[in-house]
Amino acid sequence: MLKFKPERLSASNRTDRSLLENQLKSAIWYSTQFKSFEWDPSSYNTAGMFDLLLTNEDIEPTKRLRLAYNILKDVPAYYDAAQNNIKTPTKEHTELAVPQLKGATSTLKALSDFRKKHNNGDLSTEEQAEFDKRLDKATDAVDKYSKWLSKKLESKKTEWRSFRIGKPLFDSKFTYDIQSGYSASEIYLKALNEKQELHRKMAGITTQLWKKYFPDIAQPTDDLKAIKMMIDRLSMRHVSRDSLIIAIRQQLPTLVNFIKDKNIVYLDPSKPLEVRETPEYMRGVAGASISSPGVFEKSRPTYYNVTPLDEYTEEQAESYLREYNHYMLQILNIHEAIPGHYIQLIYSNQSPSLVKSIFGNGAMIEGWACYTERMMLEEGYGATEQPEMWLMYYKWNLRIACNTILDYSVHTLDMSKEQALDLLTKEAFQQQTEAAEKWQRCQLTQVQLCSYYTGLTEIYDFRQSQKKKLGSAFNLKAFHEQFLSYGSAPVPEIKKMMEEEQK
Ligand code: ZN
Ligand code: ZN
């Protein structure tokens, strides 16, 4: 029995409570229903944890060394437990686990160097010897687990579980992970409609632009073919490989001015945003990301990480730059920075709630960033470059709609690999490599690919309903600021609180 009435809590506390409740229910569901610990061998890997110890400069090295020393002792038991837990694994997760376990071995090697470098008398001579002994045993344990999995892969008798989780599990996982007002199948149907609608709009723009870019070529009667040609043509406009970071840096003041002029949202000028090269240890996949200050480090600037293309061949760089062409780069900046992730996270940090900061809702965070892309264009951003900008935006938007269709179809409707690749390359205009990676990701994850589209749809629909309800009293800036003021809460919670305050 509850000793208090939840409805009498403040709005912020009520959201916290509902986030915690979802967190607990979800934890129970994961351990009693989803049970990926029985079928996902890649979920057992000590690399991430030791990597954190090796790289976290906020903690003194001697302290980290001591922590590593203590943790190492339990590594063999950990991998034994892993082997015991795995019942019927999926082949795909097993294939992922084996190469990833090499990472576990290399972090153990790095720990050995770390001990030699940082042991300033904190560990005694005996402890140092013991440290090395523990390292050896840990390495053997990783080896043993990895070999056990390899054997399963080699054997023809191994019984595999399908990587497709099926509708009941998918629906529940969607409920817990996304926390949406829509069900998984509702969102799937919305995404299917959106795809048709986007194709229609893209075909319209393509026809409108055709003569400008292809004066000597007749427009193909096949719409999808014509759109693809137009996208390829527009993608040729891009910055040079050395000026990617500079271009991003130069773009930001334009965005800041635009949101001020158009009264889109207040931006606290005391919260700096720094564009920097992605630090070595975070590189891997090329691209851009935002590192926002954590809950306990509010004074640190927000970093906009951009991975330089140094390591790319001419061909790879060209392909990347075409993807992030002149138009797309601006949409990316809106998404990552202004008024996307950077601004949302500033507001989120102002909402003084550890609960929201730690259990922030992914669909709300990504949904907001995706929402701002459309909203900025609607408000007239890039007016001199339209309709080209819209066409590129639609391609971007099509990607998240198709991610949702893919995820749902693969896990609940048995979509084949061939159908999946067709969807991505023919209907979402993706390159073969991008599509192949997406197929891979879809086999290994569930629901996450739906979060962008679900968040966007929910925020956009809510704004439209507010516009309708409030009529001339609707104010975009006020809507945005109130929406963001609750922190990274699930969109249905934010809706409830905003509607209540309007009563
Ligand atoms: Zn080029
Ligand atoms: Zn994002």
Side-chain angles (χ1 to χ4, degrees), residues 394-412:
Y394 289 146
K395 185 200 170 199
W396 185 265
N397 200 214
L398 194 54
R399 171 156 75 185
I400 64 171
C402 284
N403 282 347
T404 300
I405 297 172
L406 178 78
D407 201 11
Y408 187 85
S409 307
V410 165
H411 285 289
T412 75

Side-chain angles (χ1 to χ4, degrees), residues 50 67 82 203 238 272 287 297 322 400-401 420 460:
F50 285 125
L67 276 169
H238 61 74
E297 39 177 23
R322 282 187 182 203
I400 64 171
Y460 196 83

Side-chain angles (χ1 to χ4, degrees), residues 362-385:
M364 183 274 176
I365 294 170
E366 285 308 338
W368 169 261
C370 294
Y371 159 78
T372 61
E373 299 161 7
R374 184 183 299 180
M375 177 272 294
M376 289 286 276
L377 292 192
E378 284 176 351
E379 292 305 303
Y381 178 80
T384 55
E385 300 189 309

